[in-house]
């Protein structure tokens, strides 16, 4: 890859880099479109009503999720 870059050729791997997405609206859209690969939910969200429905949505759409303690 470094040799191609040094030769002036573009990188043609074609894969997007893995990134972390955040924000309840954005995560909801990703889960609903089944583009989310894993949803991590913080344990200390205040008010809890913001994320209390998110595990049910993940289960319904078949997206794995975890609730992250501390």
């Amino acid at each position: 890859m470094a040799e191609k870059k040094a030769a002036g050729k573009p990188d043609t791997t074609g894969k997007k880099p893995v990134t972390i997405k955040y924000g309840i609206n954005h995560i909801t859209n990703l889960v609903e479109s089944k583009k989310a690969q894993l949803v991590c939910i913080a344990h200390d969200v205040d008010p809890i009503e913001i994320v209390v429905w998110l595990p049910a949505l993940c289960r319904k759409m078949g997206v794995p999720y975890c609730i992250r303690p501390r």
Side-chain angles (χ1 to χ4, degrees), residues 13-44:
T13 57
K15 292 187 178 182
K16 290 184 179 180
V18 176
T19 58
I20 297 175
K21 306 292 183 173
Y22 59 92
I24 193 67
N25 289 334
H26 189 66
I27 298 302
T28 302
N29 290 335
L30 290 173
V31 171
E32 287 176 343
S33 63
K34 296 186 179 182
K35 291 182 181 178
Q37 295 176 350
L38 173 67
V39 175
C40 290
I41 304 168
H43 78 285
D44 59 349

Side-chain angles (χ1 to χ4, degrees), residues 33-58:
S33 63
K34 296 186 179 182
K35 291 182 181 178
Q37 295 176 350
L38 173 67
V39 175
C40 290
I41 304 168
H43 78 285
D44 59 349
V45 176
D46 187 40
I48 193 67
E49 289 82 11
I50 293 174
V51 296
V52 73
W53 51 270
L54 196 52
L57 178 64
C58 288

